[in-house]
Amino acid sequence: MAERGMARKIGRGGFTLVELLVVIAIIGMLVGLLLPAVQQAREAARNLQCKNNMKQLGLAALNHEATLGHYPTGGWGYDWIGNPEYGFSSTQPGGPFFNLLPYIEQTALYNYTDQEGATRMIQSPIGTFYCPSRRAAIAYPNVNPSASWGSPFYGGSSKTGRVKQVSAVARCDYAGNAGNGNNLSGSGPSRYDNTWKYTGYSTTPASGVIFIQSTTQTAEISDGTSNTILFVEKFVRPENYTSGNDAGDNQSAYTGGDVDVLRYIGTTTNVANFTQATFPSNLVLPPGQDYASGHAQDHWRAGSAHPGSMNVSLCDGSVTGMPYNINLFVYSAMGNRMDGHVFQRDF
């Protein structure tokens, strides 16, 4: 009798207890079904923003090339940041993203005049330099500010001036295509010298578009601008997104030639020596989605936080999603501006 009375009392409000529980269960199931769709929609929006960032960088590089006759240089090395007094050519110690500042409406940040300005620049994040799928556009820890790369040269009147030691610096989630890795990384000289030449060349010339002291012209991209990579997203281990501890993500966006702003794409051996069927996979690091641990040289690798593919900007200014499982022969050829291999892409 008491139970029937309880059922009647609940029922008078419009629902029985059982009906209420069923409705709650259905709502829970619908939320469970909708949540993945919402997450996918959010990632699609972030991916679109990332592509837009790369589009802006690609167009800026084309404007740079149209104005100055070459794509942005890779700079000198990780002991240096850019300085506006030193021009845009091989005498400029700053890397590609410093050189693009005037072409992405950041001239005020680019045109610093002293140590204070240089120090302020390395702490200034630019939204265009960050993939929203990975992290927010803020400064991240400078884990070793007393090191040469933690407090780099900017030159200045003494030609040996360094920025002040700071606890956090701006980062960049994108990198220039350094091709086979020759002229990808170095420290640079111990003082500013406009006659300095990088001496780390191997017998195989740099095959990419942006590398140490590069001044690559469109005419040098003999494989065609629509077939050659200009910028990639860079691989960063997820546990280091905000820590500053990744070997390829521990300096500012304005540094000279190093894995923080340049990445290895091609092979150190001439691709022409191989056919697509016999291409040895150990000669090139394929792109990959960010993961916690793996190859010791992951900080040379292209990659991203996106599932399935990363975004790349080509030398004609276009942007496309490149699958992580791309054929390594095709990938290496797209990283080489002059190897003579051109493919019909299906992405």
Side-chain angles (χ1 to χ4, degrees):
M1 288 294 292
E3 292 178 356
R4 286 197 297 274
M6 179 63 72
R8 284 197 298 274
K9 288 179 181 178
I10 295 175
R12 288 170 189 163
F15 292 97
T16 66
L17 181 59
V18 172
E19 289 171 332
L20 183 61
L21 292 174
V22 169
V23 170
I24 292 173
I26 291 173
I27 292 173
M29 290 175 61
L30 290 174
V31 171
L33 291 172
L34 289 173
L35 189 58
V38 171
Q39 291 174 334
Q40 289 177 3
R42 287 176 175 172
E43 168 54 23
R46 291 190 292 262
N47 194 2
L48 183 61
Q49 180 59 51
C50 179
K51 286 183 176 179
N52 183 62
N53 289 346
M54 299 199 77
K55 183 71 172 180
Q56 297 306 311
L57 293 174
L59 292 176
L62 289 181
N63 286 335
H64 183 289
E65 198 278 338
T67 303
L68 300 165
H70 60 85
Y71 288 92
T73 182
W76 283 5
Y78 52 77
D79 275 359
W80 287 86
I81 61 167
N83 187 317
E85 294 182 3
Y86 302 148
F88 291 89
S89 191
S90 59
T91 58
Q92 171 56 248
F97 301 106
F98 170 79
N99 286 284
L100 289 182
L101 287 177
Y103 299 93
I104 56 170
E105 301 182 343
Q106 296 295 331
T107 302
L109 191 63
Y110 171 86
N111 280 328
Y112 73 84
T113 58
D114 54 21
Q115 183 191 45
E116 292 292 337
T119 303
R120 182 169 57 253
M121 182 183 70
I122 67 170
Q123 298 176 87
S124 300
I126 303 297
T128 308
F129 293 167
Y130 288 83
C131 171
S133 291
R134 176 173 287 160
R135 54 190 171 184
I138 60 175
Y140 290 98
N142 187 17
V143 295
N144 196 351
S146 63
S148 60
W149 47 264
S151 179
F153 293 110
Y154 73 97
S157 58
S158 70
K159 296 188 177 181
T160 59
R162 290 184 178 273
V163 298
K164 293 181 178 179
Q165 295 183 18
V166 295
S167 60
V169 296
R171 298 289 204 275
C172 187
D173 286 324
Y174 308 111
N177 163 27
N180 55 19
N182 296 326
N183 303 25
L184 181 151
S185 180
S187 61
S190 59
R191 62 181 291 115
Y192 186 79
D193 177 1
N194 61 11
T195 66
W196 177 79
K197 299 293 183 183
Y198 180 63
T199 57
Y201 296 100
S202 74
T203 55
T204 303
S207 64
V209 179
I210 304 175
F211 43 89
I212 290 180
Q213 290 197 311
S214 64
T215 53
T216 304
Q217 301 176 11
T218 297
E220 297 178 71
I221 306 175
S222 57
D223 288 352
T225 57
S226 63
N227 302 308
T228 306
I229 295 170
L230 179 59
F231 293 115
V232 295
E233 294 189 77
K234 68 182 191 182
F235 180 98
V236 179
R237 294 183 178 178
E239 68 269 26
N240 292 328
Y241 282 175
T242 61
S243 70
N245 287 319
D246 195 288
D249 190 55
N250 57 1
Q251 297 166 68
S252 83
Y254 313 105
T255 188
D258 192 39
V259 288
D260 285 68
V261 294
L262 304 174
R263 288 293 160 117
Y264 169 92
I265 294 178
T267 170
T268 55
T269 303
N270 190 348
V271 177
N273 293 336
F274 306 103
T275 66
Q276 188 166 344
T278 62
F279 187 75
S281 61
N282 65 325
L283 290 180
V284 60
L285 291 171
Q289 186 174 7
D290 297 345
Y291 57 96
S293 61
H295 196 281
Q297 300 300 322
D298 276 336
H299 58 282
W300 287 35
R301 184 193 303 265
S304 80
H306 308 300
S309 65
M310 69 173 185
N311 297 317
V312 299
S313 175
L314 302 177
C315 291
D316 65 354
S318 64
V319 175
T320 186
M322 176 180 284
Y324 297 132
N325 62 353
I326 184 174
N327 180 283
L328 291 182
F329 189 94
V330 175
Y331 180 55
S332 183
M334 291 186 68
N336 192 317
R337 69 182 188 274
M338 54 184 181
D339 67 353
H341 292 283
V342 177
F343 298 93
Q344 184 66 41
R345 294 185 286 113
D346 58 357
F347 57 87

